[in-house]
Amino acid sequence: MLKKFISGLLSGLIIMLLLLGGSWLALNWYANQPVLTTIKQDFIIEEGDSLTAISQNLASQGIIEYPKVFSILGRLLDLSGSLHVGDYLITPKTSVRELLDMFSQGKVRYYDVTLVEALRFSDILKELNQHPKLTEPLTQYDAKQLFKALGIKGSPEGLFYPDTYFFQSGASVKSILIRAHERLEKVLKEEWVARDMGLPYKTPYQALIMASVIEKETGAAFERPDIAGVFVRRLRLGMRLQSDPTVIYGMGNSYHGKLTRRILRTKTPYNTYVIKGLPPTPIATVGREAIHAALHPAAGKALYFVAKGDGTHYFSESLEEHNRAVRKYQITDRRSDYRSTIEKN
């Protein structure tokens, strides 16, 4: 009797082990299966989502089969309590196990926003406020509070560095602006320390103002040092900068695409045909190249330049030569495809 009991017990244990082994083999097979999606697909884990909810959401979006098995696998791997909130990018051929690893390790998707050179702050704020993955858009009042927190007194123009910024879904507009401002301060400090001696700037901020004018005047990147050289020589000689972009900036929304003689004679703080020296603030976002050019202007004697209509400029040493170039490039031989920047192949 005892022998039969022991034999039955062993048989039961063997069957149970076989069942367990078969279950594990089945789970292992499932874990190595690729997800169902055939294209790159976003998936979001929200705050408070349980493993069961995540499994069901994956199945409803057509990413996995057998959501209950997915939940069991996650619990057996002891991952149910370590799945990170965030936005994930799921690609074809990702296995179920890799998907769980992605969630448990918090390999969330990063987005980016690019702030380009020569933008006004209002353009930057609009760009950030409209980004679909950034949150908490700033009003003008909010922006002023941020400036105060950053120690920005007066105009914010030019104080946010143009670059590509990466962030997780849900990051705030404010967080990008803080990073852009810190980046600008770092770059400006680095360039100021290595500046040429004898420049007509008393502060890094004045160099930034000059850099913004250079940025707006430049259609061809290689001309930045030459344009800087013209403006620096004019400052040294007490000549007015006579830069159209500063006039346009000073007009604000009243500019409608054409500068007239009357406009050029109208005094504003930014009309460098009327005022001497630099305008009171930068007029646009500024990259490192323009800052470097302002602090390392090219040597030479040119005091004037005029756009040739192909994105480059003609530089002149005398007013007579400059006037001839103006007639040639702006009137008699003006290009039919006149443009302010170089065409990119």
Side-chain angles (χ1 to χ4, degrees):
M1 190 76 179
L2 181 60
K3 187 174 181 181
K4 284 184 178 182
F5 174 76
I6 294 173
S7 177
L9 182 62
L10 288 174
S11 297
L13 286 172
I14 290 170
I15 291 170
M16 185 174 66
L17 288 172
L18 286 172
L19 288 173
L20 288 173
S23 298
W24 178 247
L25 287 173
L27 282 172
N28 192 55
W29 172 86
Y30 177 74
N32 290 320
Q33 294 306 297
V35 294
L36 299 180
T37 183
T38 57
I39 59 172
K40 291 181 179 180
Q41 189 169 341
D42 283 324
F43 181 76
I44 299 175
I45 296 180
E46 304 279 3
E47 189 72 43
D49 280 354
S50 65
L51 180 57
T52 298
I54 292 169
S55 303
Q56 292 171 346
N57 290 338
L58 286 166
S60 66
Q61 294 180 34
I63 296 172
I64 65 166
E65 285 185 291
Y66 315 119
K68 290 184 178 179
V69 180
F70 186 90
S71 295
I72 292 170
L73 181 62
R75 290 188 176 89
L76 286 174
L77 295 173
D78 197 26
L79 300 178
S80 59
S82 61
L83 304 183
H84 293 262
V85 170
D87 192 342
Y88 295 86
L89 181 63
I90 300 174
T91 59
K93 298 184 179 179
T94 300
S95 72
V96 171
R97 174 58 190 264
E98 289 170 339
L99 192 59
L100 280 165
D101 288 342
M102 186 189 304
F103 295 161
S104 67
Q105 294 169 20
K107 295 181 178 179
V108 297
R109 179 177 185 179
Y110 280 83
Y111 295 87
D112 65 82
V113 62
T114 299
L115 308 181
V116 299
E117 293 87 349
L119 289 183
R120 297 186 182 192
F121 177 75
S122 58
D123 298 322
I124 289 176
L125 188 58
K126 182 178 179 181
E127 174 83 14
L128 295 177
N129 279 345
Q130 292 180 345
H131 197 290
K133 293 297 180 178
L134 287 172
T135 63
E136 302 175 36
L138 295 185
T139 64
Q140 290 296 328
Y141 174 79
D142 295 330
K144 288 180 180 178
Q145 295 302 112
L146 174 61
F147 303 154
K148 185 177 180 181
L150 292 174
I152 297 174
K153 298 178 180 179
S155 172
E157 212 67 78
L159 295 177
F160 298 89
Y161 192 74
D163 204 349
T164 297
Y165 296 91
F166 294 91
F167 60 91
Q168 295 181 24
S169 178
S172 67
V173 168
K174 177 180 175 180
S175 69
I176 302 297
L177 287 173
I178 290 172
R179 290 165 61 190
H181 178 64
E182 291 174 348
R183 178 83 171 123
L184 184 281
E185 288 192 319
K186 180 176 184 294
V187 170
L188 183 59
K189 182 178 180 180
E190 291 171 352
E191 293 292 338
W192 178 257
V193 168
R195 71 190 183 280
D196 290 349
M197 293 296 102
L199 294 171
Y201 319 124
K202 294 180 180 180
T203 65
Y205 187 68
Q206 288 185 339
L208 184 66
I209 295 172
M210 175 63 87
S212 74
V213 180
I214 295 166
E215 196 76 85
K216 291 294 289 185
E217 288 279 11
T218 305
F222 66 86
E223 286 188 344
R224 285 192 182 104
D226 296 304
I227 290 174
V230 169
F231 285 143
V232 165
R233 285 187 286 276
R234 292 179 75 94
L235 284 180
R236 284 171 174 161
L237 293 171
M239 298 174 68
R240 293 181 176 88
L241 294 184
Q242 296 185 322
S243 169
D244 290 355
T246 65
V247 180
I248 293 169
Y249 179 84
M251 293 178 66
N253 294 330
S254 65
Y255 177 68
H256 299 296
K258 186 177 181 180
L259 289 176
T260 64
R261 290 184 179 180
R262 181 184 63 81
I263 290 173
L264 294 179
R265 289 195 296 265
T266 301
K267 187 171 184 179
T268 75
Y270 292 88
N271 188 344
T272 52
Y273 282 83
V274 177
I275 66 168
K276 288 187 175 182
L278 294 165
T281 72
I283 60 173
T285 52
V286 182
R288 183 185 287 271
E289 293 79 6
I291 296 172
H292 187 84
L295 295 170
H296 303 275
K301 296 181 180 180
L303 293 171
Y304 308 87
F305 58 85
V306 63
K308 293 161 63 176
D310 62 355
T312 65
H313 294 84
Y314 182 90
F315 294 84
S316 305
E317 295 182 13
S318 68
L319 181 59
E320 292 76 16
E321 182 186 4
H322 175 63
N323 287 336
R324 288 195 298 271
V326 170
R327 284 193 296 272
K328 173 180 174 63
Y329 293 109
Q330 299 292 323
I331 303 173
T332 61
D333 296 334
R334 184 180 176 89
R335 296 171 61 111
S336 59
D337 63 342
Y338 191 94
R339 58 187 182 275
S340 59
T341 58
I342 287 182
E343 284 188 337
K344 294 181 180 179
N345 295 328

